Amino acid sequence: MRPKLLLPAAAFWLAFAAHSQTTSQTPASEKDPIQTMVSRLDLARYKATIRGLTKFGDRRQGTDRNRAAIDWIEAQLKSYGCSNTERIHYDYQPPAGRRGAGGEGGRGEGGGRGAGGGRGGRGNQAGGRVRGDRGPTAANNDPDLQPDSRLRELDSQPSTPGPREEVFCTKIGATHPEEMYIVGAHMDGIGYGEAANDDGSGAALVMEVARVLSSPDVVTDRSIRFALWNNEETGLNGARAYVEQRKDLQGKEDPPGSGKYPEPKWLGMIQHDMLLFDHGMPAKDGTVSPHQRPEADVNIEFQSRSKLAGPAAELAWAFLAANEQYATDYPAVVGNHMTNTDSTPFQDLVPSISLRELERVSQIGGGWDPTHHQPTDVYSHFSDGDFRLGLNATQTTLGAVARLAGAKLKEADTASGAH
């Protein structure tokens, strides 16, 4: 039996076909308001947000640079108008045997240095099949492999166990504040680089969507939460802490009669993890093309083994429809092997998907991105073609979430074209 649909994704999919046929015939003054919102994204802003994150190096959890990055993210969210920021507090203690190199490697990706120049081991393939040539996939834990002395020094402080924080803010729904979509990405990284792609690209996406939807002329029917997870690289600990602390608070009015819902009911969870690099399969010698491949695309994934696989698939198709409507350069594809990302703790509780640059199991797990957890994951390594792939993922998410949450522009601003 097909699982019951838990969110209006199917309605989105059906409405898209009719909408796409009529938009091109509509006078400019009556254009799709969501298209207006998407047009407020641009490559320069997206790149600038990634650049801002990379100023804190790899943002490894349990370090001063990680804490400074969290403060910066919160300040940015407030500057966008998403001023009701909150923090999740939890304690992280690395499992026994995983305290080396900052305590990373909780997912089989923090293996020690091997003969391949700091990328020994093949990481966690999560039981999936890997197709095509493989490259090394374990994380670099050798600071000496970072040739930039300034960055090597910035990333030098090791992680220590103890208290952790992560920040989120919420766009409150005007008619259904008791329901919400969660838009997330992790802000921590490893590898002795700048974590520009993993996961500055995803964190910047969440922040840019928050910026546009927090504009005073944007109103949504349902709430949207923008979350920047911590401790992803150690085993999704920040996302797990959020789920543990808040899943039982869903939809409860507090205080009673106030119309305020500290944790609205979850309608969907959308995760973003590595969005810049789709250069193709490694050659026999392990090298990868320096250029984005012509058939590059945004990978939208759900987990076919989750309890809510059916509704999650519907959510993924809704995002595919949004990509076709709102993305300017790159198409999207839907896959069913979502794994090793912060949507995992949510996937049996709420329809969950992830957006990323490559298929998680067969491509990222097969070494298609040589910057993954490496010293080369720095801002300067990526071209505008790479950054534009991330921008197209941002357009996709903004378009989909805005439509699912019932986003509108206030009439006065719509008529005047004010921003």
Side-chain angles (χ1 to χ4, degrees), residues 14-26 325:
L14 293 173
F16 165 73
H19 172 79
S20 61
Q21 293 175 2
T22 59
T23 299
S24 62
Q25 303 173 4
T26 304
Q325 179 67 28

Side-chain angles (χ1 to χ4, degrees), residues 24-180:
S24 62
Q25 303 173 4
T26 304
S29 61
E30 300 176 16
K31 286 287 187 182
D32 176 12
I34 295 176
Q35 184 64 67
T36 300
M37 298 175 204
V38 173
S39 71
R40 295 175 179 178
L41 299 169
D42 64 70
L43 185 62
R45 281 182 178 270
Y46 179 64
K47 290 172 61 178
T49 305
I50 295 176
R51 189 66 173 141
L53 288 161
T54 63
K55 292 179 180 178
F56 302 96
D58 63 9
R59 306 179 298 284
R60 185 183 292 251
Q61 60 84 27
T63 64
D64 290 339
R65 60 189 181 276
N66 175 274
R67 289 181 280 271
I70 293 170
D71 290 342
W72 181 82
I73 290 168
E74 182 173 38
Q76 292 298 110
L77 293 173
K78 289 180 177 179
S79 75
Y80 303 153
C82 201
S83 58
N84 56 355
T85 59
E86 299 181 55
R87 294 199 183 192
I88 295 291
H89 300 264
Y90 60 100
D91 186 78
Y92 175 67
Q93 298 295 330
R98 291 180 180 166
R99 293 176 181 266
E104 317 298 3
R107 296 178 296 148
E109 294 181 333
R113 187 180 181 190
R119 296 186 293 183
R122 290 196 169 184
N124 183 352
Q125 299 310 313
R129 294 182 300 167
V130 176
R131 301 186 297 275
D133 292 321
R134 293 177 53 87
T137 59
N140 170 59
N141 284 321
D142 185 352
D144 291 337
L145 293 180
Q146 176 49 255
D148 183 334
S149 59
R150 178 201 61 81
L151 183 54
R152 190 167 59 246
E153 174 63 24
L154 181 60
D155 287 348
S156 64
Q157 184 190 26
S159 172
T160 56
R164 300 287 187 266
E165 294 184 355
E166 58 194 12
V167 65
F168 65 84
C169 71
T170 310
K171 174 77 173 183
I172 304 298
T175 57
H176 291 287
E178 77 283 2
E179 299 176 341
M180 75 172 177

